[in-house]
Amino acid sequence: MSLSTKPYIGSRDFYPDQMKFRNWMFGVQAEVCRRYGYSEYAAPLIEPLDLYRAKSSEEIVSEQLYRFTDRGEREIAIRPELTPTLARMVAARINELPRPLRWFSVGNFMRYERPGRGRLREFFQLNVDLLGPDDFTADAEVLMLAIDLMRAYGASPEHFEVRYSDRRLLEAYLSDYDTEKIRAISRVIDKRAKIKPAEFEEQLATACGDDAGVAKVKKLLALTTESVAELPADELDPEIAGRISKFAEFLREQGYGDGLVFDPGIVRGFDYYTGLIFEMYDRDPENNRALFGGGRYNRLVGMFGKQEIPAVGFGMGDVTLENFIVSHGLAPAELGEARGAYIALMSADLAGPVAKLARELRTVGIDVEVALEATKKFGKQFELAEKKGRRFMLILGETELENGVVRVKDLKSGEQQDVPRQDLAAALGG
Ligand code: HAM
């Protein structure tokens, strides 16, 4: 049996053309993050399994982790997300790192999920996190950054919607239940938009096990920003209601209110969230998976046995983002300008002079690719140079060598001229 050329199920090969798109997408992310003062960091692909057992979501640990035992009998996991790692890194240097700490990272992650539209087993995620302050202005900052990211891709609120809530609302309404039950009920709430109303009713009744619970969940789901503000103090801590309204008001004042929707049905699967939770959705119903999700997690860093540091952040996946960009026609018409030069080789004995020319041009910062096989068929060479995204084709034959010139063809304009060696770098834009 011959070996398959397909990548592992749910993972992708990135050929050079796809790499151009990916680099553009990640480049926009880095630019917007830097504009907000965020510094880039990176972390290992694998972590001890215990990190996720203690600090991630139950669903991820029991169903989605890629795990193995290494040759030293250690239990290892390929990272399914970055937040526990970030908390570990911050806890390790808690006294040295200047706060507020604003960090971002782009990396690959693996989850054993059923691949489908917007869901893969290996995906990339931009993580943006702000650690230190526990203010609603910090919550608002990461949300504004996320929205500016979408704007940088050319999107506007007609394309997306940000749904937000506060994890403590769910906890307040389900306080009579234990963790297991809260998880089961949360899973049903999370599925609400994807299943039929009758199915939802049925699953909710099973998860709650009593009518009082069902009534509470329905009350929770019917909450609006206005009704939250009017809840009596014994039903909801007024601090929580106040925070929800201050956060939304601040965003509106700053011009980020369009497409911002309060949605008490937002659950977020991770146990570590302690306050604001949010998700961004594509308005195109074909793309029904979240573009990004995040929230406030004030107790994760403290779980490493040191000081607690309030934190808020989000993760944005590349798969859903690419679907979003393509669906709304936001991809740039041309990715990566044609650049650099391709030097043709007219005869094998010119390989030395061609290599020397290439070396000279590279030292002045011009990208140069050389032909390694001699040919006088220029048509094919031009085609190849163009396909490879080169701007210029250079010819250095015996005559050019004798005359101290190089024949330059601009593949964009089609113009061709003999350029003296000393003027070549300038002619190629070096
Ligand atoms: P998450 O909601 O699990 O959050 O993932 C965030 C985003 O990553 C999703 O909205 C989606 O775009 C992408 N994503 C997740 N799983 C997959 C998958 N299997 N295939 C494709 N894309 C996927 C977190 O991971 C949190 N750690 C985010 C966070 C950072 N919270 C605070 N800081």
Side-chain angles (χ1 to χ4, degrees), residues 81 83 111 113 120 125 129 268 272-273 290-291 315 317 320:
E81 57 150 339
T83 317
R111 295 184 192 175
E113 296 204 62
L120 291 179
Q125 210 186 55
D129 292 271
R268 304 284 301 137
Y272 49 65
Y273 291 119
L291 280 160
T320 38

Side-chain angles (χ1 to χ4, degrees), residues 161 163-165 169-170 183-204 207 214 216-224 261-268 277 279 281 288:
E161 183 177 280
R163 301 182 197 154
Y164 72 98
S165 180
L169 275 178
L170 192 82
R183 274 189 190 141
I185 299 171
S186 302
R187 266 199 294 272
V188 179
I189 297 178
D190 198 29
K191 274 196 279 182
R192 185 174 53 136
K194 295 171 203 130
I195 56 180
K196 294 201 179 84
E199 240 175 292
F200 172 68
E201 295 279 335
E202 201 184 306
Q203 293 190 14
L204 186 62
V214 172
K216 274 200 163 173
V217 172
K218 287 195 172 162
K219 197 166 173 199
L220 165 77
L221 295 177
L223 287 175
T224 60
V261 181
F262 173 69
D263 180 356
I266 290 277
V267 172
R268 304 284 301 137
I277 42 179
E279 280 177 347
Y281 282 90
N288 60 0

